[in-house]
């Protein structure tokens, strides 16, 4: 299927690969289209945003449903829309499944979402039906979407203790980085960040993607390997690690 990404408000990254930047927090949602499956990378910041994305993806792909979801890390603006995709197989870095299932951590996500401006009712609704990953990735996991294979890689910790990247081979490899890389602002290091390991995570990201890959930050415009390497050095200086 030849998709006209731009006609539906998406950015084409490669054949069968696109992303959209969501309003509010400028978070990226990625989509990889295979002959038999659709893989979505992150799901938005609320159930309403997830439902809107579901409709937009159906329009983009001629009515197809999302079959696989990969969650880059367990922050509200990347996971609160997951429940809108019934039947999808959900993947996350090992440990994110426990975190998203624990009452205290779910409450912390709700509090953080409200603190950052999400409506309190929307935040509570999302937490009530929050979906924890059924499949956890401790190293690498290859998924076959039908005529197209993609790689999920647990390359953290860094931005959090549970950072999952997505590598899509093709005419030019596309790497979805989650918030290990940010372009529209300085990388955010909250209380769950592990700064001493973050530069190493970016080294692993670069080794998997290579010099010619397209790197897609969790927030902001698409970047290249030079940008990622520069951000790696800035983080190393910022946190006084090698």
């Amino acid at each position: 299927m030849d998709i006209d990404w731009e006609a539906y408000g998406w950015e084409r990254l490669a054949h069968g690969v696109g992303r959209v930047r969501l309003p509010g927090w400028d978070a990226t949602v990625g989509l990889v289209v295979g002959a038999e499956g659709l893989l979505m990378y992150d799901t938005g910041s609320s159930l309403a945003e997830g439902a809107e994305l579901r409709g937009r993806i159906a329009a983009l792909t001629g009515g197809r449903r999302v079959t696989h979801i990969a969650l880059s890390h367990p922050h509200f603006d990347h996971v609160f829309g997951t429940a809108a995709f019934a039947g999808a197989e959900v993947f996350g870095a090992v440990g994110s499944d426990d975190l998203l299932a624990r009452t205290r951590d779910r409450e912390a996500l709700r509090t953080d979402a409200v603190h950052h401006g999400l409506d309190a009712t929307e935040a509570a609704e999302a937490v009530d039906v929050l979906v924890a990953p059924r499949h956890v990735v401790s190293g690498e996991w290859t998924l076959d979407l039908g005529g197209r294979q993609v790689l999920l890689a647990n390359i953290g910790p860094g931005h959090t203790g549970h950072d999952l990247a997505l590598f899509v081979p093709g005419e030019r490899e596309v790497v979805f980085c989650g918030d290990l890389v940010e372009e529209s602002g300085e990388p955010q290091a909250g209380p769950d960040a592990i700064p001493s390991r973050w530069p190493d995570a970016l080294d692993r990201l670069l080794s998997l993607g290579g010099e010619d890959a397209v790197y897609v930050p969790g927030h902001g415009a698409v970047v290249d390997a030079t940008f990622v390497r520069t951000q790696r050095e800035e983080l190393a200086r910022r946190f006084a690690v090698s």
Side-chain angles (χ1 to χ4, degrees):
M1 179 182 179
D2 189 14
I3 296 174
D4 188 355
W5 296 90
E6 286 73 17
Y8 291 91
W10 291 67
E11 178 183 356
R12 182 189 186 278
L13 302 173
H15 178 70
V17 187
R19 68 94 177 241
V20 65
R21 292 167 68 173
L22 300 176
W25 294 278
D26 190 28
T28 279
V29 166
L31 185 68
V32 184
V33 179
E36 299 171 5
L38 298 182
L39 171 67
M40 186 178 180
Y41 186 73
D42 287 344
T43 60
S45 63
S46 68
L47 286 173
E49 198 160 59
E52 180 183 353
L53 284 163
R54 185 184 65 224
R56 293 180 67 178
I57 290 170
L60 180 72
T61 61
R64 295 179 61 182
R65 296 167 62 93
V66 171
T67 57
H68 300 76
I69 290 171
L71 300 176
S72 65
H73 63 288
H75 284 172
F76 83 93
D77 49 332
H78 299 265
V79 305
F80 268 11
T82 307
F85 299 89
E89 297 290 339
V90 182
F91 295 75
V94 63
S96 63
D97 53 335
D98 292 335
L99 186 152
L100 291 176
R102 283 193 296 261
T103 299
R104 68 175 183 273
D105 290 314
R106 291 158 72 102
E107 177 60 20
L109 282 175
R110 185 198 64 78
T111 300
D112 187 54
V114 173
H115 172 74
H116 282 90
L118 185 64
D119 175 80
T121 299
E122 288 190 272
E125 289 174 344
V127 167
D128 282 346
V129 294
L130 191 59
V131 177
R134 178 183 174 187
H135 308 286
V136 294
V137 183
S138 59
E140 297 179 356
W141 191 318
T142 300
L143 293 176
D144 189 343
L145 303 177
R148 149 161 265 158
Q149 291 189 331
V150 300
L151 179 71
L152 304 178
N154 182 346
I155 62 169
H159 176 66
T160 72
H162 317 286
D163 296 309
L164 187 70
L166 167 63
F167 297 82
V168 187
E171 61 197 61
R172 189 177 186 191
E173 186 167 62
V174 179
V175 184
F176 289 93
C177 309
D179 286 5
L180 285 166
V181 179
E182 296 192 42
E183 185 277 335
S184 55
E186 184 177 75
Q188 298 301 300
D192 58 344
I194 305 177
S196 64
R197 303 287 296 279
W198 202 332
D200 287 342
L202 293 186
D203 286 339
R204 289 191 289 275
L205 195 73
L206 287 164
S207 69
L208 286 169
E211 287 301 308
D212 297 326
V214 173
Y215 291 87
V216 187
H219 303 265
V222 168
V223 300
D224 59 13
T226 299
F227 181 97
V228 176
R229 189 172 295 105
T230 299
Q231 193 156 95
R232 183 253 186 243
E233 296 306 320
E234 291 171 349
L235 285 167
R237 286 194 295 272
R238 176 178 167 187
F239 298 120
V241 296
S242 60

